[in-house]
Amino acid sequence: MTFLIHWISSFLSTIAFGILTNIPRRVLLSSGLTGSIGWLVYFYLHQEGAGLAVANFFATVVIGCFSIFFSRKKKIPMIIFHIPSLVPLVPGGPAYKAVRELVLGNNVIAFENMMIVIITAGSIAGAFMIISLIERIIGKWQQIKKHRLNKQDQSGNL
């Protein structure tokens, strides 16, 4: 039951943020699926004892892979899928708690929450760097493959 609640909540939050950011309607379901699968990866890894950074990193890698897939399938930029799909992973609660505790003068608790925000943001950024690198490698590989096929066609036609 918990799995279903998490899946539905992350799916709906991703779609809602997609509507707020005005992404094309034809990609709302794909974006919702991407965000919910990313959240489920995070939730599963976190439940199995993986650290905060590891769970966020792998969830973001999954979001990136699905974004690449859907962007190529729907012929739309990857960023359209990245932004709404990250909403379930964004550490809004710890950021709010950090500012609140800082204002109240509880510097130790504020620092702990700031570290959670920094670790989460760093792991998300690192994962997107890896995904960007993978996407570039795939693009170069496809260019080389296309170039080789064109070369073979030209040499076969002569």
Side-chain angles (χ1 to χ4, degrees):
M1 185 66 172
T2 303
F3 172 81
L4 187 62
I5 291 171
H6 279 268
W7 184 76
I8 291 171
S9 299
S10 59
F11 184 80
L12 292 177
S13 67
T14 302
I15 288 178
F17 194 77
I19 291 170
L20 285 174
T21 56
N22 203 23
I23 66 171
R25 298 232 182 258
R26 64 187 175 101
V27 297
L28 281 175
L29 292 177
S30 313
S31 181
L33 183 64
T34 302
S36 63
I37 290 174
W39 172 257
L40 291 177
V41 168
Y42 166 80
F43 182 71
Y44 175 76
L45 289 174
H46 199 62
Q47 291 295 317
E48 292 298 314
L52 186 64
V54 172
N56 274 297
F57 180 83
F58 284 110
T60 306
V61 167
V62 168
I63 286 172
C65 291
F66 273 89
S67 295
I68 290 170
F69 172 76
F70 283 127
S71 71
R72 290 175 187 253
K73 184 175 180 183
K74 305 249 184 209
K75 295 182 176 30
I76 200 160
M78 283 186 341
I79 194 76
I80 299 295
F81 297 100
H82 283 321
I83 301 303
S85 299
L86 281 178
V87 167
L89 296 178
V90 170
Y96 168 77
K97 289 177 187 174
V99 172
R100 181 174 177 261
E101 295 299 333
L102 199 59
V103 169
L104 292 175
N106 301 329
N107 295 335
V108 174
I109 298 171
F111 181 73
E112 288 175 6
N113 285 308
M114 281 191 273
M115 288 308 296
I116 290 171
V117 172
I118 291 169
I119 289 169
T120 302
S123 63
I124 289 171
F128 273 135
M129 287 178 12
I130 298 294
I131 288 300
S132 176
L133 179 65
I134 290 171
E135 208 262 331
R136 285 184 184 187
I137 290 170
I138 289 171
K140 292 284 186 186
W141 179 72
Q142 287 177 338
Q143 283 180 342
I144 291 170
K145 186 177 175 183
K146 188 176 181 179
H147 181 71
R148 285 182 185 167
L149 288 175
N150 287 340
K151 224 176 186 183
Q152 287 176 354
D153 286 345
Q154 288 175 356
S155 64
N157 290 335
L158 295 177

